[in-house]
Amino acid sequence: MKKLSLIIPCYNESKNLPLLLNRCNEVINDNQIEILIVDNGSTDNTNDVLNFLLPRFSFVKRVRVKENKGYGNGIISGLKKASGEIIGWTHADMQTDPADALLGLEFFNTSNKEKVFVKGKRYGRPLIDIFFTLGMSIFETILLRKSMWDINAQPTLFHRKFFLTWKSPPNDFSLDLYAYFLAKNKKFEVKRFNVFFGKRAHGVSHWNFNFSGKIKFIKRTLNYSFNLRQRIKKDNA
């Protein structure tokens, strides 16, 4: 069994893939670590780029999702193929550094690693995004009655046994909220550490590209949050 499997979902990230894979090659020098690139139903030339690049990177596996059913579905598809004891995900757009996952891995050097949940804590972001995160964090904290901060920060890492307990995880960006809250609800030891969040190397965000995109994201997240709260009440009844 590998000690770490890092899932990186890609949707139309063909221009970022050479940068991403070269960076992974720079920092992954342990044969007990694997990278799983999930081609999450891309409609650009991601498949051709991966066909050309992947023979150079023996530590990288490819997972192909034919139809894009959401960010969360892509990650889950990768998690199901992971062989690591510690598993998790990060982004492909080069706003996060794959090396951050290696820093997060250090938090599992404990006898109780099955009850550890690790997540980055972003810095270096535009002020408007910080205010957006603050508002969502306060709302989720009040609604779910758990301290929730910077929910969509990466990387996200945990023991594979935690993943095996998941029931009906969401297929969209709410997956970050689901995993984070579930760890809190199970009283895991949550470890946060600072990670620099830079600009995308190429392309644009598929949700955070304008005010309208933020509103749609907020609506989806709010709807899922209320459903998650109702499920909690039902489970605890």
Side-chain angles (χ1 to χ4, degrees), residues 60-85:
V60 178
K61 292 182 179 179
R62 172 164 51 176
V63 178
R64 183 82 184 273
V65 178
K66 292 184 178 180
E67 178 185 357
N68 187 299
K69 296 181 179 179
Y71 163 84
N73 181 69
I75 290 173
I76 293 167
S77 298
L79 293 175
K80 289 179 179 178
K81 300 292 185 180
S83 61
E85 181 181 21

Side-chain angles (χ1 to χ4, degrees), residues 80-100:
K80 289 179 179 178
K81 300 292 185 180
S83 61
E85 181 181 21
I86 307 304
I87 57 179
W89 62 84
T90 192
H91 294 319
D93 55 17
M94 299 303 293
Q95 288 185 282
T96 58
D97 189 343
D100 293 334

Side-chain angles (χ1 to χ4, degrees), residues 19-80:
L19 298 173
L20 172 66
L21 290 172
N22 283 328
R23 179 56 180 157
C24 287
N25 195 47
E26 290 173 358
V27 299
I28 304 298
N29 53 14
D30 188 331
N31 61 12
Q32 290 302 304
I33 297 174
E34 66 177 2
I35 303 292
L36 288 91
I37 299 291
V38 179
D39 178 2
N40 197 15
S42 297
T43 56
D44 64 355
N45 62 330
T46 289
N47 186 54
D48 294 334
V49 171
L50 288 175
N51 284 338
F52 177 74
L53 291 176
L54 286 189
R56 309 178 194 176
F57 305 100
S58 60
F59 57 89
V60 178
K61 292 182 179 179
R62 172 164 51 176
V63 178
R64 183 82 184 273
V65 178
K66 292 184 178 180
E67 178 185 357
N68 187 299
K69 296 181 179 179
Y71 163 84
N73 181 69
I75 290 173
I76 293 167
S77 298
L79 293 175
K80 289 179 179 178

